Amino acid sequence: MTQYRIRRDDGVSDSITKRLYASYNEAHQELERYYADLCCSDDREYYRIEEDTSARGTQPTV
C-alpha cells in the first residue's frame, strides 16, 4: 500500500512532516487545513507531498 509523507522545503521536521498519510488526498487535506489558518503571510513554511519510499523492499518475497 502506498503511503505519503509531507516534507518541508527547508528540510526541517515538524508535526506535519512526522506523520505518514494513507493517501495523497489525506496529506493534501492536512496542508489545506494548515494553509487555511494563514493569511497571505510571507513567513509561512512551504511543503510538498511525496510518496513514502522508506518501507520499500522490506516485505519478504514468497
Side-chain angles (χ1 to χ4, degrees):
M1 172 186 234
T2 303
Q3 293 184 312
Y4 294 86
R5 201 174 275 288
I6 296 175
R7 301 219 188 259
R8 277 178 51 161
D9 286 351
D10 63 3
V12 175
S13 252
D14 61 24
S15 61
I16 294 174
T17 62
K18 292 178 182 177
R19 285 190 54 205
L20 279 177
Y21 299 88
S23 68
Y24 182 92
N25 286 339
E26 183 184 350
H28 190 267
Q29 288 173 351
E30 180 73 24
L31 288 181
E32 282 183 336
R33 285 190 292 274
Y34 168 77
Y35 286 122
D37 291 339
L38 302 174
C39 178
C40 309
S41 172
D42 288 337
D43 294 334
R44 68 182 175 179
E45 302 303 330
Y46 290 92
Y47 294 89
R48 75 179 80 136
I49 300 170
E50 299 178 349
E51 187 175 328
D52 182 52
T53 58
S54 62
R56 284 192 179 173
T58 59
Q59 294 181 350
T61 57
V62 178

